Amino acid sequence: IGDETPALEEQQDLSIMLDVGKWPVFALLPPEELKLIRQACVFGSAANEALYVTVNDEVFALGTNCSGCLGLGDLQSTIEPRRIDVLCGKKIVSLSYGTGPHVAIATADGEVFSWGHNGYSQLGNGTSTHGLTPALVSTNLLGKRVIEVACGSHHTIALTTDGEVFAWGYNNSGQVGSGSTANQPTPRRVSSCLQNKVVVNIACGQLCSMAVLDSGEIYGWGYNCNGQLGLGNNGNQQTPCRIAALQGVNVIQVACGYAHTIALTDEGFVYSWGANSYGQLGTGNKCNQAVPTLINTEKERMSEVAACHTSHTSAAKTQSGQVLMWGQCRGQAVASPHLTHFSSTDDVFACFATPAVTWHLLSIDYMTVAQSLKKEFDSPEISDLKFLVDGKCIHVHKALLKIRCEHFRSLLNESDEECIEVSQFSYLVYRAFLEYLYTDTINLPPEDAIGLLDLATFYREMRLKRLCQETIKRGISEENAITLLCAAVKYEARDLEDFCFKFCVNHLTAVTQTHAFADMDHELLKNFISKASRYGAFKN
């Protein structure tokens, strides 16, 4: 038994280790070095360059070192990792690379460093001299905290905590958004119609730039000959233009391929537009689309979309953790989303993209407090209390319940029972409530979230009530809209009631043909009809 213990410890280590094994560039690193990697990025025209950060915040690079983009101060290629001293201890939060090649990073302090090819001033230092070591990009960024960077082929954009976007570098198609096609030697704020707006997410194609606003609107600028700006035409744009076709849709994330764009909405839908000769739009054909097209993802809600400006590959992850891919997959054109056995979108790019580079910075942290708590939920090992609901047990920790919930603080101070029976709520709902106290999230279909909304109202858990309302909103359909509306009325969730009411009115014909409508309480029905007629629902 003595011999087996170290192996077990090693296994636990592995569970929080970044799995870079699928990228061949790491194949020569000894296992003990691989175990220390916490962040990594693979780039280069043949996926033959890499940069990684260790648990001690040391930064190393290896590979061919094209244009000095390993940041080592010379042009020597190296098969063994070499340390980039200037970046050690910097805590990288975002990293992107261009095919020039150049590299840009943002640090936890909000600083931007760039290095590599600089023929078009894509390093933002006002010169066109290549940079062999990471240098701070300061012009116009002093006093700004950058949280995200994105590189096109030869231009760079950066997003600040204030929601401002700065851009610099190659501008032949308007990709820096300055209103001209002159290259931009230093960071310049992208304003025009973004002037008073707050941007929350950015991405770059080869020669275009995209920005998502906190309002869910999305803007694009730059090269547009394949329709990758989603504007319904093929004309280049020298300043940001809103994608009008997505009016009323809340975009939360955008990703750009070589010449195509994919966007994720708050309801988990995926839209795509732009070039499609490899099926990278996932529409089932190979026709370019100049306007956003909704992709059929088999009714599964998506939680992430992925693409990279060096390839024609697309990927997405469902809320339940399944990974889909489409586009150019190892030279083959896959025109509709294909279910893989992968557990992350990163694996799609490691195994199927050409070149097989990372689409974003791969990151892992130690088990955070939140992850540790999540892992202990309903685990009998060190729990000191169990709830019995519908004849089933849920294992919890008294201390955590007291910290997280007023109701339990008073209940558990008065009682030292080890098992509490609950009859007021169903097992499904009560388990979801307890899990929420451990994870801050709820994991229930909308119809069941109604029961949780009831519980949240009963226990006066306002944040939980809001989360339930959000879940219900996201899961509303013609079939369940009336049921959800009635629940919103019952639990006095005004905002949710308005939302469900508007949905019912907008889908009136279908909603009035459902069983729920036929079974609706007389008083509620009367109110609904009079409110709907005031809303103008019955006008021709």
Side-chain angles (χ1 to χ4, degrees):
I1 290 174
D3 289 346
E4 284 175 18
T5 317
L8 187 67
E9 279 171 20
E10 200 165 299
Q11 223 171 352
Q12 286 168 340
D13 259 3
L14 289 173
S15 68
I16 53 164
M17 179 184 129
L18 191 60
D19 176 19
V20 291
K22 293 187 177 72
W23 273 274
V25 69
F26 289 109
L28 285 179
L29 260 61
E32 56 275 16
E33 181 74 12
L34 288 174
K35 248 167 49 178
L36 299 175
I37 296 179
R38 201 184 69 208
Q39 292 171 302
C41 180
V42 177
F43 52 97
S45 56
N48 48 5
E49 295 171 296
L51 187 137
Y52 66 89
V53 184
T54 68
V55 289
N56 314 317
D57 271 320
E58 290 192 304
V59 185
F60 291 87
L62 71 158
T64 52
N65 206 9
C66 183
S67 297
C69 67
L70 294 187
L72 296 166
D74 56 44
L75 293 165
Q76 297 300 308
S77 69
T78 172
I79 204 158
E80 298 263 318
R82 285 171 55 194
R83 196 167 60 197
I84 311 175
D85 291 326
V86 61
L87 293 184
C88 290
K90 285 282 181 213
K91 295 203 182 335
I92 298 173
V93 294
S94 176
L95 182 152
S96 189
Y97 52 85
T99 45
H102 74 290
V103 181
I105 65 161
T107 70
D109 293 334
E111 295 180 322
V112 177
F113 288 82
S114 64
W115 63 96
H117 192 284
N118 196 29
Y120 300 93
S121 303
Q122 60 263 50
L123 300 187
N125 59 17
T127 76
S128 54
T129 311
H130 300 335
L132 298 182
T133 51
L136 185 64
V137 183
S138 54
T139 310
N140 298 336
L141 291 180
L142 285 174
K144 303 284 180 188
R145 287 180 67 94
V146 170
I147 48 174
E148 192 180 354
V149 286
C151 296
S153 64
H154 301 82
H155 76 289
T156 312
I157 64 176
L159 173 64
T160 71
T161 46
D162 301 330
E164 298 177 337
V165 178
F166 287 80
W168 59 93
Y170 194 36
N171 193 32
N172 67 330
S173 308
Q175 58 266 49
V176 300
S178 59
S180 79
T181 53
N183 293 345
Q184 179 61 39
T186 51
R188 178 193 169 280
R189 167 121 194 250
V190 181
S191 49
S192 68
C193 53
L194 291 184
Q195 186 60 46
N196 299 310
K197 302 201 161 60
V198 175
V199 174
V200 292
N201 178 226
I202 53 173
C204 288
Q206 279 280 304
L207 299 165
C208 70
S209 309
M210 304 295 303
V212 176
L213 270 49
D214 61 349
S215 64
E217 292 182 346
I218 179 167
Y219 285 73
W221 60 98
Y223 188 74
N224 192 33
C225 287
N226 298 290
Q228 55 262 65
L229 299 185
L231 304 172
N233 61 45
N234 292 99
N236 294 350
Q237 299 294 334
Q238 295 171 11
T239 53
C241 292
R242 184 170 69 84
I243 301 182
L246 288 175
Q247 174 81 42
V249 169
N250 258 333
V251 173
I252 55 171
Q253 190 213 336
V254 65
C256 293
Y258 187 91
H260 76 287
T261 310
I262 43 182
L264 175 69
T265 75
D266 63 345
E267 294 185 343
F269 293 120
V270 177
Y271 288 85
S272 64
W273 57 94
N276 197 25
S277 48
Y278 298 94
Q280 61 264 50
L281 300 186
T283 52
N285 59 45
K286 293 183 187 174
C287 307
N288 290 6
Q289 294 289 344
V291 289
T293 306
L294 182 62
I295 301 180
N296 174 19
T297 48
E298 297 297 324
K299 298 218 176 358
E300 266 269 38
R301 280 183 66 87
M302 296 294 142
S303 60
E304 178 183 75
V305 288
C308 179
H309 77 276
T310 55
S311 69
H312 311 289
T313 307
S314 306
K317 190 174 189 174
T318 72
Q319 225 172 14
S320 64
Q322 293 184 306
V323 174
L324 303 166
M325 71 175 187
W326 61 97
Q328 190 179 28
C329 300
R330 282 233 174 142
Q332 188 176 338
V334 177
S336 296
H338 178 84
L339 190 60
T340 68
H341 57 270
F342 296 135
S343 57
S344 79
T345 53
D346 302 317
D347 295 351
V348 170
F349 290 84
C351 302
F352 282 93
T354 311
V357 295
T358 49
W359 71 274
H360 65 164
L361 180 64
L362 303 177
S363 286
I364 195 149
D365 284 307
Y366 293 115
M367 287 269 274
T368 58
V369 174
Q371 287 166 327
S372 306
L373 293 180
K374 191 174 179 176
K375 198 164 152 250
E376 286 306 320
F377 171 64
D378 202 12
S379 158
E381 275 132 55
I382 55 167
S383 73
D384 53 3
L385 173 66
K386 61 185 179 197
F387 285 94
L388 193 61
V389 194
D390 297 343
K392 296 179 205 160
C393 282
I394 308 165
H395 298 269
V396 289
H397 306 76
K398 289 179 185 174
L400 185 129
L401 265 47
K402 286 182 190 176
I403 290 167
R404 290 283 287 151
C405 175
E406 202 57 53
H407 163 75
F408 287 127
R409 187 169 301 182
S410 45
L411 174 78
L412 297 173
N413 278 343
E414 292 159 17
S415 131
D416 52 4
E417 289 179 63
E418 286 180 12
C419 183
I420 298 175
E421 200 162 338
V422 174
S423 54
Q424 196 177 346
F425 300 102
S426 73
Y427 171 77
L428 192 71
V429 163
Y430 212 75
R431 189 176 195 281
F433 167 50
L434 293 172
E435 190 171 5
Y436 158 77
L437 296 178
Y438 279 74
T439 63
D440 258 336
T441 56
I442 57 175
N443 188 10
L444 276 178
E447 290 82 353
D448 294 319
I450 293 173
L452 192 55
L453 182 63
D454 179 23
L455 181 148
T457 311
F458 181 74
Y459 286 149
R460 296 197 183 89
E461 285 285 331
M462 287 310 153
R463 184 174 175 274
L464 179 57
K465 192 168 174 175
R466 279 201 308 275
L467 275 180
C468 291
Q469 294 186 48
E470 287 307 312
T471 300
I472 293 166
K473 280 183 186 179
R474 286 200 302 259
I476 197 166
S477 66
E478 292 162 352
E479 207 48 55
N480 67 16
I482 290 289
T483 311
L484 301 182
L485 174 66
C486 297
V489 173
K490 182 178 172 185
Y491 303 121
E492 297 177 357
R494 298 269 181 270
D495 175 41
L496 180 61
E497 185 186 333
D498 283 349
F499 178 86
C500 294
F501 172 74
K502 282 176 186 157
F503 183 93
C504 289
V505 169
N506 290 336
H507 301 81
L508 199 58
T509 310
V511 165
T512 52
Q513 289 166 357
T514 60
H515 289 304
F517 186 80
D519 300 339
M520 203 173 176
D521 171 83
H522 181 68
E523 201 53 39
L524 276 176
L525 180 62
K526 217 164 73 179
N527 286 345
F528 176 74
I529 289 172
S530 78
K531 194 173 166 190
S533 74
R534 284 201 305 279
Y535 199 74
F538 304 115
K539 290 182 183 147
N540 281 336

